[in-house]
Amino acid sequence: MAQRATYYEEELDDADDLAEVGLNLAIGNYGQGGLYDDGMPRIDEATLIAMQQHVAQQVALAQIPDVVKRFIVQFHQAIVNNNLPEITACYENGWNKLTEQFYPKTEWPEAEIIAPLVNDNPVFLILYRELYYRHIYSRLTPNVDDRFHSYENSCELFNYLLNSDGPVTLSLPDQWLWDIIDEFIYQFQSFSVWRSKPKLKNEDELSMLAAEAETAGGSQLWSCYSVLNVLYSLVQKSRINEHLSGVRQGLPESELLELAGEYGSRPLYRMLGYFSLIGLLRVHVLLGDFTLALKVMENIELNQKAFFTRVTACHVATYYYVGFSYMALRRYNDAIRTFVSILNFIGRMRQYHTRSYQYDQINKTAERMYALFAICNCLSPSKLDEQILNNAKERYSDQISKMSQPFTSNYSAPNPTTPITPSSPKEKPSPASEALAAYSELFLFACPKFITANAPPYGDADSLTAYIADPPEEPATRHLSLFLDDIRARAEVPTLRSYLKLYTSLDASKLAGFLEKDEEELVQLLMVMKTASRSISRMNNEGALLDGQVITTSDLDFVINENMVHVVESVMNRKYGGCEPVADY
């Protein structure tokens, strides 16, 4: 390594000398100004441009700090040798430290500039560009070229992994493999949100998007089809579902390797396939298909022995998207249990998270999950974990107080781009507006950044003008409207419940009089209460995530016999010796 470092230092000294050479002097005036006879060859324009680019590259290379050059050489050598500990150290420590020191608000050197340091190794340059564009997306603001080129680099990376002659001989740490899948989906999400707002585009961006839309077969740039195709291809190539199914059956290691096949038996493909399942969960949630999101996870168990626990960011993301899917499917008990599990884990491991470069992201996701937990607990009260409930109240006590109020409402969903106000400042806000504003506030804060699968019609100027004049509803607003419809339907259930708790049997006409409703409206309200007190829930965490049995979530039940409503209330056993019974899910 010392010899290698000396060699590069000598080479870089020569590059430093190049920085002092003027471009005109280096290139000269060959073939220009008629210095040659007509019979002598001249340097054509293409060659001249290539020479200029070569000198410019050498000058740019000379400007890179020596410590960064040595790091790139060391990083390249570790990847060539498949030295996993060294790769991990460079990826998790070296890259982030040098970013903070030299590139906190600027781009890393482009891959073409550092290519001579790594002998133009195509695999390393693809991986380097993956880190390069990730840095731009996380620290800077990507322009339209960055968005296009990051997609092209992702295609090169996955084509190399999926279409090479047999499995590639490449070793990468689990953290990097997860980050590759996670960043691929994040850039797809970011592009989809950016593309959906044609009103904010300049002429160059509109022309590039129009040209892309007019390509044969339609644009595949960051399309849902291309992203899903990559993720499903990795799942199929690795045979990860077969492997996980064998693990659940308790098959021996030899049979598991046979099930996994040529690709899945290698850690690189097995973990990429596994993380792709988590990626599919995320993509389907972003597209609003919550049932399919949980379906793709049918072979993954949510416990501390699962593969995703090896990477904390993957662990947290998995529970967040599973919990939100349960909430969207009105399985509030399952959502609460999911959020409680991961929030307890984050609380126990917080001191270790501070050492992680992803600490801020994990902390933000935890705050969002506390908000979702508060929503679910107001809709289906539970005492599963008093500590988590107290933490949620500390953060969102005002919203929880408002969401707990009974009301009737015709309140409409707010636009997510405008501030949420319960009512006009000149009038006292009603319980309905306060409650629904609180639900809306927490939902919009904590929900994923939903995307739409269809791009605006950039290829048709007239259609694009009409689209800008009358844009479709924002995905987040659409999901919020569906959520608030369910809240409104449950609005009067607490009031009805308070009357039923006073009686063991009650005449239906008398109950209708209390509620100021006719008997037909009362029956509808009773059916709403019956439905609200029933939910599908997993029992003892057994089966797939979509499996479950219908359970009663309320301690109050009733039956209607002719004109009489008969009420049955279950009583919790008293606790003895400081021990409190825990619900068995």
Side-chain angles (χ1 to χ4, degrees), residues 159-294:
N159 282 334
Y160 168 68
L161 294 172
L162 293 169
N163 298 326
S164 298
D165 296 331
V168 300
T169 56
L170 179 66
S171 295
L172 296 177
D174 291 345
Q175 178 70 60
W176 194 352
L177 295 176
W178 161 251
D179 289 339
I180 287 173
I181 299 298
D182 182 62
E183 186 66 19
F184 178 60
I185 297 171
Y186 171 74
Q187 291 178 12
F188 159 65
Q189 178 186 15
S190 175
F191 183 86
S192 299
V193 173
W194 174 80
R195 182 184 57 187
S196 67
K197 299 176 180 178
K199 191 175 181 179
L200 304 179
K201 303 289 179 291
N202 58 40
E203 290 299 325
D204 291 338
E205 293 171 341
L206 288 173
S207 61
M208 291 182 69
L209 290 168
E212 181 65 25
E214 292 171 357
T215 56
S219 174
Q220 295 300 315
L221 181 72
W222 289 120
S223 67
C224 291
Y225 173 80
S226 60
V227 171
L228 290 172
N229 182 51
V230 166
L231 297 176
Y232 277 111
S233 295
L234 288 169
V235 170
Q236 293 173 359
K237 202 79 166 179
S238 64
R239 297 176 59 84
I240 188 62
N241 278 319
E242 291 82 353
H243 176 83
L244 292 174
S245 179
V247 170
R248 297 181 72 170
Q249 296 173 28
L251 298 180
E253 187 66 25
S254 58
E255 294 187 29
L256 290 177
L257 291 176
E258 185 177 350
L259 277 176
E262 181 183 12
Y263 286 85
S265 58
R266 294 176 178 266
L268 174 76
Y269 287 93
R270 181 168 64 248
M271 295 311 298
L272 279 175
Y274 185 87
F275 291 141
S276 293
L277 290 176
I278 311 296
L280 287 169
L281 163 72
R282 177 178 175 183
V283 171
H284 289 309
V285 169
L286 296 178
L287 293 171
D289 194 340
F290 307 107
T291 300
L292 185 56
L294 295 179

Side-chain angles (χ1 to χ4, degrees), residues 95 99 103-108 130-140 183 187:
W95 177 272
T99 296
Y103 307 105
K105 296 182 180 179
T106 59
E107 300 174 353
W108 273 71
E130 194 273 328
L131 295 172
Y132 171 84
Y133 287 117
R134 192 195 310 174
H135 171 69
I136 291 176
Y137 274 86
S138 62
R139 297 293 188 100
L140 311 172
E183 186 66 19
Q187 291 178 12

